[in-house]
Structures are given as C-alpha cells and as structure tokens.
Amino acid sequence: MSDVLLDNAVTAAREAGAHLRRAFGHGAVILSDAGKDLKISADKEAEKIIFARLAAVPGDAIPILSEEAGLVGDAHSGAGKIWVVDPLDGTLNFSRGIPLCCVSIALWENGEPALGVIYDFMADIIYSGVVGRGAWRNGVPMRASATQARSKAVFATGFPSGADYGEERLLAFVKQVQDYKKVRLLGSAALSLALVAAGAMDAYGENGIYFWDVAAGLALVTAAGGKYVKSQPDERWRCNVVAGAAGLQI
Ligand code: IPD
Ligand code: CA
C-alpha cells in the first residue's frame, strides 16, 4: 500500500476534522430528523472536503463509498480498491455538543481492509493503520489488547438507526452486560473501533451497522493485531460486525 494513499487519507481527515472542530458547538443545521436517524449539514460539508482531497491523487480513479453520497465513481475502476468514508461519525453527539465524534476514512482492496484513518478531531488524535505494517496513535505504535476473558474485557456497542429494537435483540444486550466487565455505548462506532485498536477497549460489536461506520475501524483493529468477523453488507450496506483482541472469544 503506497504511502501516498495513507498520507492523502490523513490529510483529508485532518482538513475535514478542522472544519468540523470549528463548527462544533455552534448549532447544527438539521437536514432531517426522522425516527432514530439524524442528518445535519456538517456531514455534507466534511464529505465535500474529503472528496476533493481523495480525488487529488493521480493514477487510477479509486471509487468512493460514502455515508452521504453513496457510491461515487466507477465501481470497476481502481483495480479492486475502494475508499469507504464516513465524513462525521457520531452525528448526534456532534449536534448535542458531546465531543465523541470523528472522521473515518478507509481503503479496502478486494473485499479486505487495507488502511484506515480515524481522526478524533475534538481531541486532535489521528489513529492510522496499514494492514500488515502496523497501526499508530498520533504516530506512536498501538496494539489491540491482550485480554482473553470476557469477564475482564470492556465491550463497546451501539444501536444503529435502522436496527432491530425488538426485545429479543435487547436481550442479547443484557447478556453482553452480564458477560463483559463493562459495556460502553459511545455513539460512534468508528471511535469505538479506534479505541479497540489502541487497546483501551477490548471488543466492539453491532448488528445492522452501516459499512462506512466500521470500514476504517476494522482496518485499524486488523493492523493493530486484532481480529474481526463481518457479514456481507445488505443492499443498504448494513452488516453485522464484531471485532476485538486476538485472544478474546468474540
Ligand atoms: C452512527 C454511530 C453510532 C452507531 C450508528 C451509526 P452516525 O453513525 O456510529 O455509534 O450506533 O449505527 O449510524 O449516524 O453518527 O454517522
Ligand atoms: Ca456514521
């Protein structure tokens, strides 16, 4: 994986993050607020900044799958590579002034994660990783945890906007609360996975999560020595994902 692609993803994440940090706390412009979903203009503004930067790389045009724009470009160009972008993960947190939100940019190649960049722009922390090469938190190497027992593990999860809120699904959550030492719901799947890659948390799982929410985080966890299991995305790009420390039963 070329350094140009990683550098470009980091620059794109920093540029979008700087814009979002300036907008944070100044009142979100709400575009839609239906059911459990929320769309604000900041997502689209950040996406525009990221698209301009990613398109600046010469060579094969790599298609982009993004939360706001969907699939952009020719899916058959890019020699099996695809950018997967969530311009602002943790939209509700952002809109309420909760500083748990981030920019998430991944490159996947032939259905496998190749690199990931997650920018926690409120804390100014860049998580980056290249599968097979390593993962870094602000340039310092990071590893997934060595935790093996669920009773010692911190598990992150969430409930996507289109998820099953039926009692059976919620009973599975009760079981997680019982099994793990602690359960956390940060409101950002991407940030949760970055923290798993950094070894601060031990596992993450969410059913019906959108691929762009987890694409970069799964690359980071893999690059940091962790593991994941993901179902094939459905027609709306939703999948079931679990990821975590290599020695933990996930
Ligand atoms: C959401 C967050 C949240 C997860 C939802 C996502 P958004 O993304 O990642 O943690 O539970 O499934 O949709 O809407 O903030 O970009
Ligand atoms: Ca998202």
Side-chain angles (χ1 to χ4, degrees), residues 43 67 86-91 189 209-210 212-213:
D43 294 75
E67 170 155 18
D86 190 346
L88 171 58
D89 191 47
T91 300
I209 188 79
Y210 292 95
W212 41 76
D213 290 322

Side-chain angles (χ1 to χ4, degrees), residues 1-3 5-6 9 62 78-84 105-117 128-136 211 214-224 228:
M1 187 54 51
S2 90
D3 287 343
L5 294 176
L6 177 64
I62 300 174
K81 296 190 188 72
I82 183 168
W83 289 112
V84 187
I105 302 176
L107 187 75
W108 279 54
E109 190 167 4
N110 299 319
E112 303 287 336
L115 73 81
V117 174
S128 60
V130 179
V131 175
R133 238 165 74 185
W136 306 272
F211 182 42
V214 295
L218 295 180
L220 290 182
V221 169
T222 308
Y228 75 88

